[in-house]
């Protein structure tokens, strides 16, 4: 039984065959998923999908690339949605210094406000980090985000930062890149993270694992991620699946 902790089934890439994609995931042993909504378009779609399937949940937040677009009304909307029975986390939120649509100071402010909201409603957060690790650590630390914890989503940083995030009460989630032949960093991280703080994800439709790299990713492929990590850790695939699923249940308070 596998748990894909981060998937965008609400993306346009799944408009034509969403139901088939979901059924393929279920057939592959992926019994639980979190659909992440991060703007005015994707949040309602995430909720819609979560409402249709018992074991699919939603996360709602505001993506850092679009931080400049977030209004007071949007933040209030996210707060109201935190009471929805299928919403189990806030995010994805964070910092993205790769694209320059939103100035860094705006991104930081929107990030801080979402952390404060998550603490207010007592929900874990899902962190998007692109080329901004030092600032992410600074914001999480200053806002005492460890009180709620959450996920470093699709962790793509060096192993040296892993302990910093673990100490801040965050789980480390790995996706398709751990299967890439030339990707030594995620492989190193996959072996280093304590088993009780490890999660798996696809980030579908992005970052499809080998041998589907470059194609549309889908939640069924989280099995490839789990298989690779099990191989790297020299443990049984079913054991890794069980542990990472239990970790997700623990984090999202689904017991």
């Amino acid at each position: 039984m596998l748990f894909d902790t981060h998937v965008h089934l609400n993306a346009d890439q799944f408009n034509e065959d969403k139901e088939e994609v979901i059924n393929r995931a279920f057939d592959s042993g992926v019994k639980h998923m979190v659909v992440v909504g991060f703007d005015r378009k994707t949040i309602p779609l995430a909720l819609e999908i979560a409402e249709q399937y018992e074991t699919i949940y939603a996360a709602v937040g505001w993506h850092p690339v679009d931080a400049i677009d977030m209004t007071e009304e949007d933040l209030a909307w996210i707060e109201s949605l935190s009471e929805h029975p299928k919403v189990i986390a806030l995010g994805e939120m964070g910092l993205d210094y790769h694209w320059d649509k939103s100035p860094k100071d705006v991104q930081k402010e929107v990030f801080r406000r979402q952390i404060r909201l998550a603490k207010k409603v007592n929900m874990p957060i899902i962190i998007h980090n692109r080329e901004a690790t030092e600032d992410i650590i600074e914001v999480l630390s200053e806002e005492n985000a460890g009180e709620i914890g959450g996920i470093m989503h699709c962790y793509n940083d060096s192993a040296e930062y892993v302990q910093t995030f673990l100490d801040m009460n965050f789980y480390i989630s790995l996706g398709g890149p751990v299967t890439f032949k030339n990707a030594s960093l995620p492989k190193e991280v996959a072996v280093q993270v304590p088993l009780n703080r490890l999660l798996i994800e696809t980030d579908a439709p992005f970052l499809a694992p080998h041998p589907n790299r470059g194609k549309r990713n889908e939640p069924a492929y989280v099995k490839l991620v789990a298989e690779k990590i099990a191989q790297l850790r020299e443990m049984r695939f079913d054991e890794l699946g069980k542990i990472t699923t239990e970790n997700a249940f623990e984090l999202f308070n689904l017991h």
Side-chain angles (χ1 to χ4, degrees):
M1 189 167 79
L2 301 171
F3 198 134
D4 185 348
T5 59
H6 197 111
V7 60
H8 297 286
L9 289 167
N10 45 354
D12 290 343
Q13 288 91 325
F14 296 114
N15 284 351
E16 303 301 317
D17 61 347
K18 189 182 293 120
E19 201 170 319
E20 292 93 322
V21 167
I22 290 169
N23 288 332
R24 272 200 295 276
F26 289 155
D27 291 344
S28 300
V30 186
K31 299 302 183 192
H32 301 86
M33 304 172 224
V34 177
V35 180
V36 179
F38 54 82
D39 59 19
R40 289 179 206 117
K41 178 183 176 182
T42 58
I43 287 172
L45 294 171
L47 294 171
E48 192 180 302
I49 296 164
E51 286 165 356
Q52 288 171 352
Y53 296 89
E54 186 184 351
T55 57
I56 298 181
Y57 305 92
V60 296
W62 208 266
H63 199 286
V65 170
D66 300 313
I68 198 162
D69 300 326
M70 195 186 82
T71 65
E72 295 292 335
E73 290 75 21
D74 292 321
L75 195 65
W77 180 44
I78 291 168
E79 179 171 0
S80 70
L81 293 177
S82 69
E83 297 177 13
H84 189 290
K86 295 303 288 283
V87 171
I88 58 174
L90 296 193
E92 60 191 278
M93 63 179 76
L95 301 174
D96 189 317
Y97 292 170
H98 184 76
W99 307 105
D100 59 2
K101 178 183 170 185
S102 296
K104 291 179 181 179
D105 59 332
V106 175
Q107 289 192 40
K108 286 181 186 174
E109 182 59 24
V110 167
F111 186 20
R112 288 180 188 277
R113 295 187 72 183
Q114 290 185 88
I115 295 170
R116 291 167 195 162
L117 172 56
K119 287 165 67 176
K120 179 180 174 184
V121 300
N122 194 28
M123 275 192 165
I125 55 179
I126 298 172
I127 305 297
H128 172 104
N129 170 23
R130 192 164 185 190
E131 300 169 18
T133 304
E134 294 290 347
D135 285 359
I136 290 266
I137 290 169
E138 182 183 325
V139 171
L140 291 175
S141 175
E142 289 177 357
E143 296 295 335
N144 294 316
E147 289 178 22
I148 42 169
I151 304 175
M152 298 310 298
H153 133 69
C154 208
Y155 188 83
N156 63 352
D157 230 312
S158 67
E160 67 178 284
Y161 289 113
V162 167
Q163 193 58 49
T164 304
F165 291 118
L166 293 174
D167 291 344
M168 286 181 168
N169 197 22
F170 281 82
Y171 288 73
I172 305 294
S173 183
L174 295 172
V178 79
T179 69
F180 298 168
K181 286 175 178 160
N182 56 352
S184 57
L185 277 179
K187 291 183 175 69
E188 200 181 320
V189 169
V191 176
Q192 180 189 347
V193 176
L195 269 177
N196 66 341
R197 303 298 287 281
L198 181 65
L199 298 171
I200 54 176
E201 64 170 271
T202 57
D203 200 21
F206 316 108
L207 295 173
H210 177 80
N212 305 300
R213 188 174 182 180
K215 299 176 183 170
R216 182 187 72 169
N217 200 1
E218 57 178 81
Y221 297 164
V222 82
K223 186 175 184 181
L224 298 168
V225 175
E227 286 172 347
K228 186 62 183 181
I229 296 172
Q231 179 199 336
L232 291 166
R233 296 189 72 118
E234 299 178 347
M235 61 189 289
R236 292 203 326 270
F237 158 73
D238 59 335
E239 187 187 355
L240 184 99
K242 180 173 181 285
I243 290 169
T244 51
T245 297
E246 286 171 355
N247 291 345
F249 268 70
E250 184 71 30
L251 170 68
F252 295 129
N253 201 22
L254 291 172
H255 296 288

